[in-house]
Amino acid sequence: MPGILAVFDLDEAPNYSSFCRWEQEYRMRELRRLLRRSAEQAGWSGEAAIDASGFQRDQTSYHYRDRANYSFQSMKTTILIDVNSLAIKDVHYTTQKAWDGHIGMQVFRRNAEDLRVLSADANYSWGELREECRSESTRPLIKHREQTPLQKAHNARMNEDYNQRWMSETGFSQLKEDDGEKLRSRSWHGQFRELTRKCIIHNLTQAAS
């Protein structure tokens, strides 16, 4: 914890409510910029994995969920995480149904210049995403759905290098371990900020360790 406090030039940790009021002063774009900077501090190597998990938003009232047209009881969160340092470079949130391939493309395009390798499971299997990676000199380690012998052969060849993709699951476990998987914020924009804050603190912890 002392290493994290030093980043903010603080003697002791602020109250949670103070942090919440502070972050409301910043646009989401600025929080994303801080997330990217904290990932660089934590040792971003460019070898990354992409994966998704859910965070429960039970505290959001039924009336609000209905008015905001929420279709799920959880916030689907997709992270781009370094498989060597566990630094989280980018996050994507949605409360609606969305195909992982399209989300993966969006996340990749935002970070293409900083990626040397992109690992993903078969949920992200999409030819256009692989071609986009190659066009930006990023090696795609994206599992095929194994509907043909050729796709099975492709998967077998990448298995040794693909094994580190499970580090994304470790990242999610760490995010949920410290503060749980339930979100305190009642609004969708507050939940986006809350999860981004979790990722920033995760990166600062990795940098200080």
Side-chain angles (χ1 to χ4, degrees):
M1 193 65 180
I4 299 175
L5 295 177
V7 173
F8 293 99
D9 195 25
L10 297 173
D11 295 325
E12 59 182 18
N15 183 272
Y16 173 79
S17 60
S18 300
F19 203 168
C20 288
R21 286 194 292 271
W22 168 80
E23 71 176 5
Q24 294 300 324
E25 299 178 6
Y26 293 85
R27 294 182 179 181
M28 190 65 190
R29 180 185 305 173
E30 294 170 330
L31 288 177
R32 286 186 178 277
R33 186 178 299 118
L34 181 56
L35 175 63
R36 290 192 293 270
R37 182 69 184 91
S38 67
E40 293 168 1
Q41 270 192 311
W44 181 260
S45 71
E47 297 181 9
I50 188 170
D51 202 4
S53 184
F55 284 82
Q56 298 301 315
R57 45 192 178 84
D58 296 339
Q59 295 195 46
T60 305
S61 69
Y62 175 81
H63 173 73
Y64 186 88
R65 290 199 302 268
D66 183 62
R67 181 161 55 89
N69 193 30
Y70 282 0
S71 59
F72 294 104
Q73 295 297 316
S74 63
M75 177 78 70
K76 181 178 180 180
T77 304
T78 302
I79 62 172
L80 181 69
I81 186 168
D82 192 283
V83 298
N84 298 307
S85 66
L86 289 183
I88 298 173
K89 186 70 171 291
D90 199 2
V91 284
H92 179 281
Y93 311 115
T94 182
T95 59
Q96 306 293 328
K97 290 183 178 179
W99 181 44
D100 287 332
H102 289 159
I103 294 174
M105 180 73 84
Q106 183 177 342
V107 172
F108 172 74
R109 285 174 172 170
R110 285 202 298 254
N111 301 276
E113 63 181 13
D114 297 320
L115 286 172
R116 295 189 294 111
V117 179
L118 179 64
S119 302
D121 62 27
N123 290 326
Y124 297 87
S125 182
W126 187 23
E128 290 188 26
L129 177 55
R130 293 188 182 90
E131 288 304 315
E132 186 86 4
C133 288
R134 296 186 183 102
S135 69
E136 297 292 339
S137 300
T138 299
R139 183 188 179 192
L141 289 176
I142 303 172
K143 284 283 189 175
H144 294 265
R145 292 191 178 276
E146 296 196 349
Q147 297 172 332
T148 67
L150 181 59
Q151 291 171 332
K152 292 180 180 180
H154 281 310
N155 285 348
R157 282 198 296 270
M158 76 170 68
N159 274 343
E160 183 175 350
D161 295 327
Y162 177 81
N163 286 339
Q164 284 188 299
R165 194 211 64 84
W166 64 270
M167 296 300 286
S168 60
E169 299 174 8
T170 301
F172 273 121
S173 296
Q174 292 180 351
L175 285 177
K176 295 179 179 181
E177 179 180 355
D178 292 337
D179 209 16
E181 62 179 271
K182 289 189 176 182
L183 302 174
R184 294 183 175 91
S185 302
R186 296 175 64 84
S187 64
W188 62 267
H189 50 84
Q191 291 165 356
F192 289 179
R193 290 172 179 271
E194 182 179 346
L195 282 168
T196 305
R197 173 180 56 81
K198 284 176 179 281
C199 293
I200 292 171
I201 292 175
H202 163 85
N203 286 348
L204 293 176
T205 302
Q206 294 301 120
S209 61

PDB file of all heavy atoms in Angstrom, residues 80-92:
ATOM      1  N   LEU A  80      -8.397  -6.073 -21.389  1.00  0.00           N
ATOM      2  CA  LEU A  80      -7.190  -6.369 -22.156  1.00  0.00           C
ATOM      3  C   LEU A  80      -6.051  -6.360 -21.150  1.00  0.00           C
ATOM      4  O   LEU A  80      -5.718  -5.310 -20.589  1.00  0.00           O
ATOM      5  CB  LEU A  80      -6.962  -5.313 -23.234  1.00  0.00           C
ATOM      6  CG  LEU A  80      -5.735  -5.514 -24.121  1.00  0.00           C
ATOM      7  CD1 LEU A  80      -5.928  -6.737 -25.030  1.00  0.00           C
ATOM      8  CD2 LEU A  80      -5.471  -4.271 -24.974  1.00  0.00           C
ATOM      9  N   ILE A  81      -5.477  -7.536 -20.880  1.00  0.00           N
ATOM     10  CA  ILE A  81      -4.515  -7.671 -19.783  1.00  0.00           C
ATOM     11  C   ILE A  81      -3.194  -8.248 -20.280  1.00  0.00           C
ATOM     12  O   ILE A  81      -3.171  -9.144 -21.124  1.00  0.00           O
ATOM     13  CB  ILE A  81      -5.108  -8.555 -18.663  1.00  0.00           C
ATOM     14  CG1 ILE A  81      -4.194  -8.610 -17.444  1.00  0.00           C
ATOM     15  CG2 ILE A  81      -5.441  -9.949 -19.172  1.00  0.00           C
ATOM     16  CD1 ILE A  81      -4.851  -9.217 -16.212  1.00  0.00           C
ATOM     17  N   ASP A  82      -2.103  -7.701 -19.779  1.00  0.00           N
ATOM     18  CA  ASP A  82      -0.771  -8.175 -20.129  1.00  0.00           C
ATOM     19  C   ASP A  82      -0.526  -9.528 -19.465  1.00  0.00           C
ATOM     20  O   ASP A  82      -0.711  -9.663 -18.245  1.00  0.00           O
ATOM     21  CB  ASP A  82       0.273  -7.160 -19.654  1.00  0.00           C
ATOM     22  CG  ASP A  82       1.646  -7.427 -20.226  1.00  0.00           C
ATOM     23  OD1 ASP A  82       2.310  -8.355 -19.719  1.00  0.00           O
ATOM     24  OD2 ASP A  82       2.055  -6.723 -21.165  1.00  0.00           O
ATOM     25  N   VAL A  83      -0.115 -10.535 -20.229  1.00  0.00           N
ATOM     26  CA  VAL A  83       0.042 -11.878 -19.672  1.00  0.00           C
ATOM     27  C   VAL A  83       1.316 -12.019 -18.844  1.00  0.00           C
ATOM     28  O   VAL A  83       1.480 -12.999 -18.115  1.00  0.00           O
ATOM     29  CB  VAL A  83       0.029 -12.958 -20.786  1.00  0.00           C
ATOM     30  CG1 VAL A  83      -1.298 -12.952 -21.527  1.00  0.00           C
ATOM     31  CG2 VAL A  83       1.191 -12.774 -21.754  1.00  0.00           C
ATOM     32  N   ASN A  84       2.208 -11.039 -18.922  1.00  0.00           N
ATOM     33  CA  ASN A  84       3.444 -11.093 -18.147  1.00  0.00           C
ATOM     34  C   ASN A  84       3.348 -10.299 -16.846  1.00  0.00           C
ATOM     35  O   ASN A  84       3.746 -10.784 -15.784  1.00  0.00           O
ATOM     36  CB  ASN A  84       4.613 -10.569 -18.996  1.00  0.00           C
ATOM     37  CG  ASN A  84       4.849 -11.415 -20.230  1.00  0.00           C
ATOM     38  OD1 ASN A  84       5.009 -12.627 -20.147  1.00  0.00           O
ATOM     39  ND2 ASN A  84       4.859 -10.777 -21.397  1.00  0.00           N
ATOM     40  N   SER A  85       2.807  -9.094 -16.910  1.00  0.00           N
ATOM     41  CA  SER A  85       2.762  -8.227 -15.726  1.00  0.00           C
ATOM     42  C   SER A  85       1.390  -8.176 -15.067  1.00  0.00           C
ATOM     43  O   SER A  85       1.253  -7.625 -13.977  1.00  0.00           O
ATOM     44  CB  SER A  85       3.174  -6.805 -16.121  1.00  0.00           C
ATOM     45  OG  SER A  85       2.220  -6.240 -17.011  1.00  0.00           O
ATOM     46  N   LEU A  86       0.353  -8.724 -15.727  1.00  0.00           N
ATOM     47  CA  LEU A  86      -1.039  -8.646 -15.268  1.00  0.00           C
ATOM     48  C   LEU A  86      -1.563  -7.211 -15.243  1.00  0.00           C
ATOM     49  O   LEU A  86      -2.545  -6.910 -14.556  1.00  0.00           O
ATOM     50  CB  LEU A  86      -1.214  -9.285 -13.887  1.00  0.00           C
ATOM     51  CG  LEU A  86      -1.116 -10.810 -13.810  1.00  0.00           C
ATOM     52  CD1 LEU A  86      -1.392 -11.287 -12.385  1.00  0.00           C
ATOM     53  CD2 LEU A  86      -2.104 -11.466 -14.766  1.00  0.00           C
ATOM     54  N   ALA A  87      -0.932  -6.319 -15.998  1.00  0.00           N
ATOM     55  CA  ALA A  87      -1.408  -4.942 -16.101  1.00  0.00           C
ATOM     56  C   ALA A  87      -2.599  -4.877 -17.056  1.00  0.00           C
ATOM     57  O   ALA A  87      -2.572  -5.466 -18.133  1.00  0.00           O
ATOM     58  CB  ALA A  87      -0.293  -4.037 -16.614  1.00  0.00           C
ATOM     59  N   ILE A  88      -3.643  -4.180 -16.649  1.00  0.00           N
ATOM     60  CA  ILE A  88      -4.851  -4.026 -17.469  1.00  0.00           C
ATOM     61  C   ILE A  88      -4.749  -2.723 -18.244  1.00  0.00           C
ATOM     62  O   ILE A  88      -4.678  -1.641 -17.669  1.00  0.00           O
ATOM     63  CB  ILE A  88      -6.120  -4.037 -16.596  1.00  0.00           C
ATOM     64  CG1 ILE A  88      -6.244  -5.382 -15.868  1.00  0.00           C
ATOM     65  CG2 ILE A  88      -7.358  -3.765 -17.439  1.00  0.00           C
ATOM     66  CD1 ILE A  88      -7.362  -5.431 -14.854  1.00  0.00           C
ATOM     67  N   LYS A  89      -4.741  -2.817 -19.581  1.00  0.00           N
ATOM     68  CA  LYS A  89      -4.541  -1.641 -20.431  1.00  0.00           C
ATOM     69  C   LYS A  89      -5.862  -1.013 -20.858  1.00  0.00           C
ATOM     70  O   LYS A  89      -5.958   0.190 -21.066  1.00  0.00           O
ATOM     71  CB  LYS A  89      -3.731  -2.048 -21.667  1.00  0.00           C
ATOM     72  CG  LYS A  89      -3.313  -0.890 -22.581  1.00  0.00           C
ATOM     73  CD  LYS A  89      -2.260  -0.030 -21.918  1.00  0.00           C
ATOM     74  CE  LYS A  89      -1.674   0.992 -22.876  1.00  0.00           C
ATOM     75  NZ  LYS A  89      -0.839   0.401 -23.932  1.00  0.00           N
ATOM     76  N   ASP A  90      -6.899  -1.837 -21.022  1.00  0.00           N
ATOM     77  CA  ASP A  90      -8.163  -1.312 -21.530  1.00  0.00           C
ATOM     78  C   ASP A  90      -9.316  -2.155 -20.995  1.00  0.00           C
ATOM     79  O   ASP A  90      -9.144  -3.329 -20.638  1.00  0.00           O
ATOM     80  CB  ASP A  90      -8.161  -1.336 -23.067  1.00  0.00           C
ATOM     81  CG  ASP A  90      -9.212  -0.397 -23.666  1.00  0.00           C
ATOM     82  OD1 ASP A  90      -9.907   0.295 -22.897  1.00  0.00           O
ATOM     83  OD2 ASP A  90      -9.336  -0.368 -24.904  1.00  0.00           O
ATOM     84  N   VAL A  91     -10.488  -1.529 -20.939  1.00  0.00           N
ATOM     85  CA  VAL A  91     -11.699  -2.212 -20.485  1.00  0.00           C
ATOM     86  C   VAL A  91     -12.865  -1.813 -21.382  1.00  0.00           C
ATOM     87  O   VAL A  91     -12.895  -0.708 -21.932  1.00  0.00           O
ATOM     88  CB  VAL A  91     -12.035  -1.863 -19.014  1.00  0.00           C
ATOM     89  CG1 VAL A  91     -11.131  -2.591 -18.057  1.00  0.00           C
ATOM     90  CG2 VAL A  91     -11.976  -0.363 -18.776  1.00  0.00           C
ATOM     91  N   HIS A  92     -13.806  -2.737 -21.516  1.00  0.00           N
ATOM     92  CA  HIS A  92     -15.029  -2.469 -22.274  1.00  0.00           C
ATOM     93  C   HIS A  92     -16.199  -2.955 -21.436  1.00  0.00           C
ATOM     94  O   HIS A  92     -16.157  -4.047 -20.866  1.00  0.00           O
ATOM     95  CB  HIS A  92     -15.000  -3.209 -23.618  1.00  0.00           C
ATOM     96  CG  HIS A  92     -16.233  -3.008 -24.445  1.00  0.00           C
ATOM     97  ND1 HIS A  92     -17.424  -3.702 -24.198  1.00  0.00           N
ATOM     98  CD2 HIS A  92     -16.490  -2.198 -25.513  1.00  0.00           C
ATOM     99  CE1 HIS A  92     -18.324  -3.324 -25.075  1.00  0.00           C
ATOM    100  NE2 HIS A  92     -17.794  -2.416 -25.880  1.00  0.00           N
TER     101      HIS A  92
END
